[in-house]
Amino acid sequence: MLLEGKVAIVTGASRGIGRAIALTLATHGATLVLNGTREDLLTELAGEVKSLGRSCAVCAGDVSDQQTAGELVRAAVGQFGRIDILVNNAGINRRASTLDMDPVEDWQRVLDINLNGTLYMCRASLPYMIDNKYGKIVNVTSTTAKTPHRNAAPSYGASKAGVNYLTQHLALEMAKHNIYVNAVCPGPIDTDMSQQWTADYRESVINRIPLGKLGTPQNVADAVLFLSSSMSDFITGESININGGTYMN
């Protein structure tokens, strides 16, 4: 029970990586506040969390709206009295190229959710973490933040690179308050999106991975658990690659 007694907010928890993170944190003792845009899926997930014997609240909403951040924080503090862990997982991707993309839907919308949403959640949570003299923030970014990918829109890589910088900046600012800020950078992960790939494309992706396999949402969740727990108490400002060796630094 690495997180016994801790209260965690997980954004983008409806499915995929976020869902795996939520269940993993709950399995290790955390009380959860779940966020996403699909309230039906969040309610279903909350039932699974409660079946593990953990308390759980659902707060649906779009993280690109600053009000959502305030509602999530108020839910955590109001119902459970504190915020110990914040996992910023909510994010979207687009596939349009630079010249083909729509400047609102394919650029601004991606930055609003991926980068601005992360900032809003951090700003809303940090005052409570500062008061408690403790906090763990884990931002879910992407290998695309560090190296370009032809199958991702420029807005996606730019937004995630921004989150990586924000991670380092907050880590430096908040270290004096005993608040740790880190990121995980997944590469090719087997999610609902990858299930839509053709067999040929799937094989081509796997062939480019040194470990010869796709990652799983659980692989990412395990890294988030590590960074959320006392096991990582001398690590801050890092962005850890979880990509089977497709990008090494």
Side-chain angles (χ1 to χ4, degrees):
M1 292 297 175
L2 294 169
L3 305 178
E4 189 71 45
K6 303 297 185 185
V7 176
I9 296 174
V10 181
T11 70
S14 302
R15 52 192 162 194
I17 291 172
R19 186 176 187 278
I21 290 170
L23 290 173
T24 299
L25 299 189
T27 298
H28 283 270
T31 295
L32 294 180
V33 177
L34 304 174
N35 163 262
T37 56
R38 289 280 305 272
E39 189 162 7
D40 57 332
L41 296 179
L42 292 174
T43 300
E44 179 183 322
L45 175 59
E48 293 186 53
V49 169
K50 290 174 183 177
S51 73
L52 295 170
R54 303 300 160 198
S55 298
C56 182
V58 167
C59 187
D62 185 336
V63 295
S64 69
D65 182 348
Q66 291 191 61
Q67 290 185 349
T68 297
E71 290 168 2
L72 272 165
V73 168
R74 285 191 292 272
V77 175
Q79 294 189 47
F80 307 121
R82 58 190 296 126
I83 304 169
D84 300 294
I85 299 161
L86 169 63
V87 181
N88 287 306
N89 175 68
I92 61 171
N93 194 3
R94 292 287 189 266
R95 303 297 179 187
S97 66
T98 302
L99 295 181
D100 292 335
M101 71 179 181
D102 181 279
V104 176
E105 282 302 309
D106 295 329
W107 178 264
Q108 193 60 55
R109 179 66 175 151
V110 173
L111 266 69
D112 282 344
I113 293 176
N114 296 1
L115 179 56
N116 295 348
T118 298
L119 174 65
Y120 299 154
M121 288 302 309
C122 290
R123 278 175 53 87
S125 302
L126 281 168
Y128 295 93
M129 292 180 171
I130 291 171
D131 284 347
N132 291 335
K133 298 182 176 57
Y134 177 83
K136 296 267 186 170
I137 297 176
V138 185
N139 299 320
V140 180
T141 72
S142 170
T143 301
T144 310
K146 299 180 178 182
T147 185
H149 194 293
R150 293 183 185 275
N151 202 34
S155 55
Y156 183 73
S159 67
K160 294 300 191 178
V163 173
N164 278 3
Y165 174 77
L166 180 62
T167 297
Q168 293 179 324
H169 190 98
L170 290 177
L172 186 61
E173 255 188 70
M174 295 296 143
K176 63 185 178 183
H177 300 294
N178 197 36
I179 297 170
Y180 306 75
V181 189
N182 292 290
V184 294
C185 301
I189 304 296
D190 200 1
T191 61
D192 292 346
M193 187 177 297
S194 66
Q195 296 300 320
Q196 301 170 18
W197 295 345
T198 65
D200 287 346
Y201 182 74
R202 187 181 184 87
E203 183 179 0
S204 72
V205 171
I206 293 173
N207 286 340
R208 292 195 297 269
I209 303 171
L211 287 180
K213 60 183 179 181
L214 294 175
T216 67
Q218 190 61 53
N219 293 147
V220 182
D222 288 342
V224 172
L225 171 64
F226 168 71
L227 292 173
S228 300
S229 75
S230 60
M231 291 189 294
S232 59
D233 276 357
F234 201 54
I235 300 173
T236 196
E238 292 298 321
S239 54
I240 298 175
N241 298 327
I242 308 170
N243 57 33
T246 52
Y247 180 80
M248 305 179 188
N249 71 322

